[in-house]
Amino acid sequence: MNHFPPKPVSRRLFGTDGIRGRANVAPMTAETALRLGQAAGLLFTRGDHRHRVIIGKDTRLSGYMLEPALTAGFIGAGMDVTLAGPLPTPAIAMLTRSLRADLGVVISASHNPFEDNGIKLFGPDGAKLSDATEAEIEALMAEDIGDRLAAAASLGRAMRLVDAGGRYVESAKSSLPRGLRLDGLRVVLDCANGAAYKVAPAALWELGAEVIPLGVEPDGFNINQGCGSTVPAHLSAAVLEHRADLGIALDGDADRVILADEHGTIIDGDQVLALIARSFLAEDRLAGPGVVATVMSNLGLERYLAGIGLALHRTPVGDRYVAETMRAHGLNLGGEQSGHVILSDFATTGDGLIAALQVLAVLVREGRPASAVCRLFEPLPQLLRNVRYAGATPLQAPPVLAAMTEAEARLAGTGRLLIRASGTEPLIRVMAEGEDERLIAEIVEGLCAMIAGVAAEPAAP
């Protein structure tokens, strides 16, 4: 069973992907955003140069509340603020480096409904902050830092970057070989009414594809609503309706992607990783003999990669940990089954559009349909269930620990068991995979029942 020890830092606000919660309810309030801007601004004010932060967001209504609060905090800390407006998360990571900014900020709750929102931070290298740095920011937020804020003459200023979208489109297009075009390909593109609703269709159109856009009419409330990467059936139906060559579904901040072939069959992040790994290996573009994925990736991916001479390095869930491991091993390809794909030659974080472009490039070069190209291995049966709980985590209860040990023994080396607490919600995620589908279902359902029973027990007086 995969188990990763907790990080040796204390973080109460930050989860696996920044701070996240229900909009206008603690901690996702204007007050928290203001304090975060002040604390992060102070921590990243290093040196005598004029300091800058770039802020982007998705299309949620609550972005109008959080953006000015963050702006005020950073200005109060003496930082200049560049506002990019609605843009994908990877676009802000790219612009942070391009503008030589000290910090990048994205206001988004990714694939969550509009009622939620979140704030994630990028360092000057365009990479997500480490757990230790987030803990430093939290500590500063808890302190009285009023006397450390900028004097009146040293306050920052705010400006809007009017060509931010165009810069990202050009960056994404440059991930393809010069001269490669997508003429003749019909593509359904679902932007989830989110951050990529302008830039993603523009990039594909400029490359010559015929684009059928979906989810490109955001109204502040409809982000991820019945569309996007979390609703793949919507994508499949549209591909069949329009007789498209490929379907592309992004999530609300466009850092993940799910695809559908011409028959409407879904292609998840594991298959995308396998395809890009095979393509890069053939073109001698892999930086090393390995790929990075999380503990959630299917065992079928690991076996496929081993068959072509590549190792799979597994990390805890979260594209931040994938990126850290890629850097540690000098690798340039990694991702998650959920659709985060990191190609570090082009981006520092998951980029749904760039990943989709690499798949389209393979279709163009091979001249074969997606159904013949994009399914490189047969996934092993895998089952994931969530158990909601209140109060302390039930994972340390002796009956649960005993049940986990017994379940792992029953798999007897023919599969994997993964049990973890969600980093964004009070959920225990129970996942098992293996060659015996009935055994996997029995193990997962039994563990979920045990965890739910322990979670429902009243706490000891």
Side-chain angles (χ1 to χ4, degrees):
M1 179 173 64
N2 297 97
H3 174 68
F4 294 88
K7 298 284 183 177
V9 293
S10 175
R11 297 181 306 152
R12 182 176 57 86
L13 290 174
F14 286 90
T16 56
D17 198 19
I19 303 174
R20 191 173 294 185
R22 186 58 56 98
N24 214 25
V25 176
M28 199 43 55
T29 62
E31 180 183 14
T32 299
L34 175 68
R35 294 286 295 175
L36 176 62
Q38 292 172 330
L42 289 176
L43 186 63
F44 279 82
T45 300
R46 303 162 177 172
D48 297 327
H49 64 279
R50 192 70 187 172
H51 293 80
R52 174 186 291 159
V53 56
I54 180 166
I55 301 177
K57 61 181 180 178
D58 64 23
T59 57
R60 295 164 210 269
L61 178 66
S62 54
Y64 289 105
M65 172 186 72
L66 297 171
E67 183 185 56
L70 279 165
T71 300
F74 284 117
I75 287 175
M79 268 194 171
D80 289 340
V81 177
T82 300
L83 299 170
L87 270 187
T89 287
I92 299 304
M94 179 275 292
L95 287 167
T96 301
R97 291 190 301 168
S98 175
L99 295 173
R100 278 65 169 175
D102 300 276
L103 200 60
V105 182
V106 175
I107 304 168
S108 175
S110 191
H111 58 280
N112 286 25
F114 92 92
E115 294 93 344
D116 295 340
N117 216 330
I119 302 171
K120 44 193 170 185
L121 307 176
F122 294 87
D125 59 354
K128 291 181 179 179
L129 302 185
S130 67
D131 292 345
T133 302
E134 289 178 346
E136 286 187 74
I137 293 172
E138 276 202 33
L140 272 176
M141 291 173 68
E143 295 178 14
D144 182 1
I145 55 177
D147 60 349
R148 297 175 56 185
L149 297 176
S154 301
L155 292 172
R157 304 181 184 209
M159 62 162 285
R160 188 161 296 279
L161 186 63
V162 295
D163 63 341
R167 293 190 187 202
Y168 173 66
V169 167
E170 287 304 311
S171 175
K173 287 163 54 183
S174 70
S175 70
L176 295 183
R178 183 175 296 275
L180 189 147
R181 291 184 55 83
L182 305 179
D183 299 270
L185 288 178
R186 176 179 292 178
V187 180
V188 169
L189 176 63
D190 184 349
C191 297
N193 290 311
Y197 78 102
K198 286 185 178 179
V199 292
L204 292 179
W205 178 81
E206 290 181 18
L207 288 166
E210 179 186 349
V211 183
I212 295 98
L214 307 174
V216 291
E217 297 179 349
D219 60 10
F221 304 96
N222 60 3
I223 187 170
N224 302 312
Q225 188 178 76
C227 57
S229 64
T230 55
V231 191
H234 184 253
L235 178 67
S236 295
V239 166
L240 293 174
E241 177 187 352
H242 295 281
R243 298 182 181 181
D245 298 294
L246 189 72
I248 301 170
L250 306 171
D251 67 338
D253 68 335
D255 65 350
R256 70 168 70 178
V257 65
I258 295 294
L259 306 176
D261 68 20
E262 76 277 12
H263 301 307
T265 303
I266 293 302
I267 304 161
D268 68 11
D270 284 349
Q271 297 285 356
V272 172
L273 280 175
L275 177 62
I276 296 176
R278 188 200 70 175
S279 173
F280 277 23
L281 182 63
E283 298 170 2
D284 197 27
R285 295 169 62 191
L286 278 180
V291 175
V292 180
T294 75
V295 291
M296 298 301 292
S297 278
N298 196 275
L299 192 57
L301 171 64
E302 187 170 346
R303 293 178 176 179
Y304 172 78
L305 293 174
I308 59 174
L310 300 177
L312 181 66
H313 303 268
R314 291 189 183 269
T315 76
V317 172
D319 65 330
R320 175 165 50 131
Y321 303 120
V322 172
E324 289 174 357
T325 303
M326 289 170 63
R327 289 193 293 271
H329 289 274
L331 302 175
N332 61 346
L333 175 61
E336 296 188 277
Q337 185 185 68
S338 60
H340 288 119
V341 177
I342 304 174
L343 295 123
S344 59
D345 292 342
F346 313 118
T348 57
T349 189
D351 191 316
L353 177 58
I354 286 181
L357 288 176
Q358 306 313 303
V359 175
L360 286 165
V362 175
L363 297 186
V364 170
R365 283 195 294 263
E366 297 195 7
R368 296 190 294 155
S371 60
V373 171
C374 297
R375 193 171 181 87
L376 296 177
F377 65 89
E378 193 64 35
L380 270 69
Q382 187 181 80
L383 185 61
L384 171 66
R385 293 284 184 267
N386 296 323
V387 182
R388 189 168 292 275
Y389 67 95
T393 175
L395 288 186
Q396 299 306 314
V400 173
L401 292 172
M404 290 161 58
T405 301
E406 179 186 355
E408 187 176 21
R410 292 181 67 192
L411 285 171
T414 63
R416 296 191 306 127
L417 176 65
L418 174 66
I419 302 176
R420 68 181 184 91
S422 167
T424 58
E425 301 176 83
L427 296 174
I428 301 298
R429 304 196 191 278
V430 180
M431 188 276 284
E433 68 177 351
E435 297 169 359
D436 187 336
E437 193 166 1
R438 289 180 60 185
L439 176 61
I440 293 302
E442 188 177 319
I443 286 174
V444 170
E445 299 303 341
L447 284 169
C448 287
M450 169 63 73
I451 293 170
V454 170
E457 293 176 0

